[in-house]
Amino acid sequence: CYRLGTRLIGLAHTALAQADVRQTAHPALASLRDETGETVHLAVRNLDELVYVDKIESRELVRMASTVGTRVPFHSSSVGKAYLAALPKDEAEHIMRRLSFSLQTANTSRDLEELREKVELTRERGYSVDDQENEDGIVCFGAAVLDGSGHPVASVSVSVPVFRLNEDQSHYWQPLVERCARISGRLGYSVTK
């Protein structure tokens, strides 16, 4: 008699949850792309990094060069900082202490203290910013998607080429935060919890 191990059951549960997040989020991601005019990503955690599991391209000719399956570091990406900020502080600290802080660009956070400051700022304002930290010439805004228990299950970003960046950056982060709240609500999260 064979039985499924707890690790395999856990992996299956994670895969199903991620598929559900992707399916639940997709319409809101499409509307976010339409409202901002820019590329939108959905990323989920994979150990000490995130992975893009959905991408809706900007209709503009110049776009971000990324694909579904691309791995992105916590410390240099808007999706990473948004995810960390949504975690309990001790859990985020545990992850941040394990990071290698590899330089993606000249603007990448170089150490734990710098990342802590950016994560705290993200907690305060409700969205993160990657100002050419992960890719030269690209600014990203990120926000977390929460499950029914208030734990982050994914992050969403809006990626904008610097030359096209609107001076009023609320054009990107306000609809982003609103869509993430909508997706979170569909996953069972309620601000009254």
Side-chain angles (χ1 to χ4, degrees):
C1 173
Y2 292 97
R3 291 189 184 150
L4 294 177
T6 55
R7 181 165 162 72
L8 184 57
I9 291 170
L11 287 172
H13 178 67
T14 300
L16 286 171
Q18 289 176 358
D20 187 46
V21 168
R22 185 176 184 273
Q23 184 176 13
T24 300
H26 193 81
L29 300 179
S31 106
L32 179 59
R33 186 275 315 270
D34 292 346
E35 185 170 345
T36 63
E38 300 299 344
T39 298
V40 174
H41 293 94
L42 177 70
V44 298
R45 182 178 174 188
N46 181 27
L47 301 175
D48 288 342
E49 60 189 358
L50 291 113
V51 178
Y52 291 143
V53 294
D54 201 359
K55 176 184 180 183
I56 302 182
E57 291 273 9
S58 168
R59 291 188 172 108
E60 300 288 336
L61 291 176
V62 177
R63 307 175 213 166
M64 185 175 176
S66 63
T67 59
V68 169
T70 297
R71 297 178 179 284
V72 288
F74 275 108
H75 70 289
S76 62
S77 65
S78 66
V79 287
K81 288 179 277 192
Y83 194 99
L84 289 168
L87 286 170
K89 287 187 178 187
D90 60 333
E91 196 174 335
E93 181 70 19
H94 182 71
I95 292 169
M96 290 189 293
R97 286 182 175 275
R98 293 194 311 255
L99 301 178
S100 66
F101 293 93
S102 59
L103 292 181
Q104 308 297 317
T105 73
N107 295 338
T108 302
S109 294
R110 298 180 187 312
D111 58 47
L112 183 58
E113 192 53 42
E114 186 179 357
L115 180 58
R116 277 186 190 129
E117 290 172 11
K118 289 179 180 180
V119 169
E120 189 54 39
L121 180 58
T122 298
R123 276 191 191 102
E124 291 169 11
R125 64 184 174 199
Y127 67 93
S128 63
V129 178
D130 151 12
D131 186 3
Q132 302 183 72
E133 295 169 56
N134 201 54
E135 185 175 334
D136 285 321
I138 301 290
V139 174
C140 300
F141 301 87
V145 172
L146 309 176
D147 65 13
S149 67
H151 198 270
V153 292
S155 295
V156 176
S157 67
V158 176
S159 303
V160 190
V162 171
F163 74 87
R164 204 163 56 225
L165 188 65
N166 191 318
E167 191 173 315
D168 178 7
Q169 295 183 356
S170 67
H171 172 74
Y172 309 107
W173 65 259
Q174 281 182 338
L176 167 69
V177 169
E178 189 276 327
R179 292 321 188 287
C180 286
R182 187 185 305 172
I183 298 164
S184 298
R186 290 187 180 139
L187 294 173
Y189 178 71
S190 171
V191 291
T192 59
K193 288 186 178 181

